[in-house]
Amino acid sequence: MFPSSCDTFVALPPSSEGQRIIFGKNSDRPCDEVQEVVHFPARDYGPEEKVECTYIQIEQVAHTYAVVLSKPAWLWGAEMGANEHQVCIGNEAVWGRESADGEEALLGMDLVRLGLERADTAEKAVDVIAALLEKYGQGGSCMEDQSEFTYHNSFLISDRKEAWVLETSGKYWAAERVEEGYRNISNQYGITTKIDKEHPGMRVYAQSKGWWDGKSEFNFATVYSFLTTARIESAGTRYCEGKSLLEKRNGHITAEAMMDILRDKDSGINMEGMFMTTGSMVSVVPTNSALPGVHYFTGTPDPERSVFKPFVFVKNARELKETSSPSFGPDDPVKKKPRFQSKPDRKHPLFVKHEVIAAIIESYKERGQKITENLRQLEKEAMKKMENILAVGVQQPDDYVNLFSECVQEELSVYSKT
């Protein structure tokens, strides 16, 4: 099973407007999967403590940073998220010459969360993920069923000054620095000959497998995947559609422009069907370290029928209850072996209400249009308020401890009136 799913984007000056980094991702997952938006504060840990990831337990670090995550409700990791240092990460499924089948290890989504919890810059996140790959490997089913759906991972990582593309094949990897302009990744390898960091054994391994002759210029995508560079760049792929949408807005990429891209159905970026866009994220991160970043999440499927709601890192930020799914603890079927013998109801309160509204929008054209207009107006009003703190900073942190939840309540209010 090789679905075309997920797209991650970043725009840096001069492609973005103002001195801001704009990050965005659509998470395309099984259509019945619930994605939750959760916040975890920074924490300190003892020297012997462990962290229980989706399938395996690993050593915990002394300190983890505060994170906000959009994640499939059944697993530990995340599809995308940000941390208090304004590092943003999204991952993509990729397949290549190296088999993705293997023992349970860290999921790519676990690596997203671990990178955010442990790194205060994009480059450090590359190093964190690379070290974890080397020590623990990647593997395990990436769906909440017995389908053995597995893949390798690529990552797009940004901070206040730059972005990195990190692509993996088993424990081997290559990374490319992006210092200006825009970049997008989809479900294919995209690093070619510009490699700024790499696994020390990556080239030797490729040569031992007969994938590279050791003499010609090393091209990561060509060597480790089945695609030539020409095919990667060929017209018609979702990667090229995303690149084209960025190019059309080049020099004027804003949060609104990124949301429009994520809502684009003609390109396939806003995916429908058995695999669909189950959650979306857009982040606005000023290059000025004195200013806060604003991170928008839907917490619901299909961004065209959802509201991007803002989250800002402030001290004492509250739990995001309306977008947190039920916890089943050690009785969760994911934790019991054999795994996935049943599938509990993981719908969070916002998901339940949104599911009804989405059905109304689908079934009743005029009524649905009115609902969508009201949701867009709600979104615009929130974004207008966020422009103020993006310009001058957070003056009263306590005013923002419930920011995301208050926006969810306003969204639920629109649903109730409907």
Side-chain angles (χ1 to χ4, degrees):
M1 185 176 186
F2 299 90
S4 294
S5 60
C6 290
D7 294 274
T8 310
F9 305 85
V10 70
L12 301 86
S15 291
S16 56
E17 277 193 5
Q19 293 301 304
R20 296 174 178 178
I21 312 294
I22 310 295
F23 179 94
K25 180 183 174 180
N26 270 355
S27 170
D28 301 329
R29 301 280 304 167
C31 62
D32 63 344
E33 185 177 85
V34 177
Q35 195 144 152
E36 58 180 349
V37 178
V38 293
H39 166 254
F40 296 103
R43 269 192 66 185
D44 293 320
Y45 297 89
E48 302 299 323
E49 290 198 56
K50 307 288 185 182
V51 55
E52 189 74 36
C53 300
T54 303
Y55 296 128
I56 66 169
Q57 188 182 78
I58 68 171
E59 293 176 6
Q60 183 57 282
V61 290
H63 180 79
T64 56
Y65 300 121
V67 296
V68 60
L69 309 170
S70 187
K71 58 186 287 296
W74 64 272
L75 51 76
W76 181 85
E79 276 279 295
M80 51 204 172
N83 72 18
E84 62 184 287
H85 295 286
Q86 313 309 325
V87 177
C88 301
I89 308 181
N91 79 312
E92 305 281 331
V94 289
W95 295 268
R97 298 179 190 270
E98 187 80 356
S99 171
D101 298 331
E103 298 295 316
E104 290 181 347
L106 291 173
L107 293 179
M109 292 170 279
D110 293 337
L111 292 166
V112 169
R113 179 169 173 177
L114 290 163
L116 290 169
E117 289 185 341
R118 301 180 179 198
D120 58 2
T121 69
E123 185 172 1
K124 285 182 183 176
V126 171
D127 297 339
V128 165
I129 293 171
L132 289 165
L133 271 177
E134 182 70 26
K135 188 168 185 177
Y136 300 105
Q138 58 180 321
S141 178
C142 300
M143 282 171 55
E144 190 185 7
D145 59 33
Q146 299 176 58
S147 65
E148 297 296 321
F149 175 53
T150 59
Y151 49 75
H152 303 298
N153 289 268
S154 67
F155 305 85
L156 186 55
I157 310 169
S158 67
D159 59 21
R160 290 190 185 273
K161 70 171 187 174
E162 63 186 10
W164 284 80
V165 179
L166 170 61
E167 299 183 339
T168 72
S169 178
K171 71 174 184 177
Y172 298 100
W173 57 273
E176 178 183 350
R177 187 196 303 264
V178 181
E179 296 180 276
E180 62 178 18
Y182 57 80
R183 188 64 176 266
N184 63 304
I185 61 173
S186 291
N187 300 110
Q188 56 196 44
Y189 291 108
I191 295 175
T192 56
T193 57
K194 183 182 181 298
I195 300 173
D196 296 300
K197 287 192 170 196
E198 64 184 79
H199 185 286
M202 177 191 72
R203 300 181 192 227
V204 172
Y205 181 74
Q207 194 171 359
S208 74
K209 301 288 284 188
W211 301 339
W212 180 54
D213 61 12
K215 299 175 183 177
S216 58
E217 184 177 31
F218 189 87
N219 181 314
F220 183 80
T222 299
V223 171
Y224 272 87
S225 78
F226 300 109
L227 300 179
T228 63
T229 302
R231 188 174 169 192
I232 289 169
E233 296 288 347
S234 66
T237 65
R238 218 179 56 257
Y239 164 78
C240 291
E241 290 287 339
K243 189 176 179 181
S244 175
L245 289 170
L246 288 170
E247 176 59 33
K248 287 176 184 176
R249 295 163 173 82
N250 192 22
H252 304 284
I253 299 173
T254 60
E256 293 90 343
M258 189 65 77
M259 290 172 188
D260 287 343
I261 290 172
L262 298 184
R263 284 174 166 142
D264 194 286
K265 290 191 174 178
D266 291 341
S267 64
I269 287 167
N270 183 5
M271 185 167 283
E272 299 178 285
M274 293 305 292
F275 261 65
M276 71 174 293
T277 299
T278 56
S280 303
M281 167 187 175
V282 170
S283 291
V284 185
V285 178
T287 56
N288 182 350
S289 61
L291 297 174
V294 178
H295 308 281
Y296 296 93
F297 296 90
T298 60
T300 52
D302 186 355
E304 179 64 25
R305 298 170 180 172
S306 296
V307 178
F308 283 93
K309 298 164 286 290
F311 178 93
V312 176
F313 285 97
V314 291
K315 189 177 180 181
N316 300 321
R318 304 285 166 76
E319 182 184 356
L320 311 182
K321 293 182 179 180
E322 298 86 351
T323 53
S324 294
S325 295
S327 175
F328 299 94
D331 293 328
D332 197 309
V334 175
K335 294 297 181 184
K336 294 181 175 181
K337 292 186 178 181
R339 303 193 197 276
F340 310 120
Q341 297 302 297
S342 62
K343 188 181 288 189
D345 184 353
R346 301 187 188 275
K347 296 175 183 177
H348 54 70
L350 178 63
F351 187 98
V352 172
K353 298 292 186 183
H354 178 271
E355 196 171 34
V356 175
I357 294 301
I360 293 172
I361 294 173
E362 177 73 24
S363 303
Y364 303 97
K365 186 176 180 181
E366 288 187 15
R367 192 176 170 195
Q369 187 174 348
K370 182 64 177 175
I371 295 169
T372 302
E373 288 172 1
N374 290 339
L375 295 177
R376 284 293 187 284
Q377 185 59 35
L378 194 65
E379 185 177 276
K380 285 181 181 178
E381 290 170 2
M383 294 183 75
K384 187 176 180 180
K385 292 176 184 176
M386 292 303 100
E387 276 303 313
N388 184 57
I389 71 165
L390 284 165
V392 302
V394 174
Q395 305 302 314
Q396 298 291 335
D398 287 349
D399 291 346
Y400 299 95
V401 295
N402 277 318
L403 174 64
F404 187 85
S405 294
E406 287 169 356
C407 291
V408 172
Q409 289 299 335
E410 290 175 2
E411 182 180 354
L412 290 171
S413 178
V414 172
Y415 295 164
S416 296
K417 291 173 186 176
T418 301

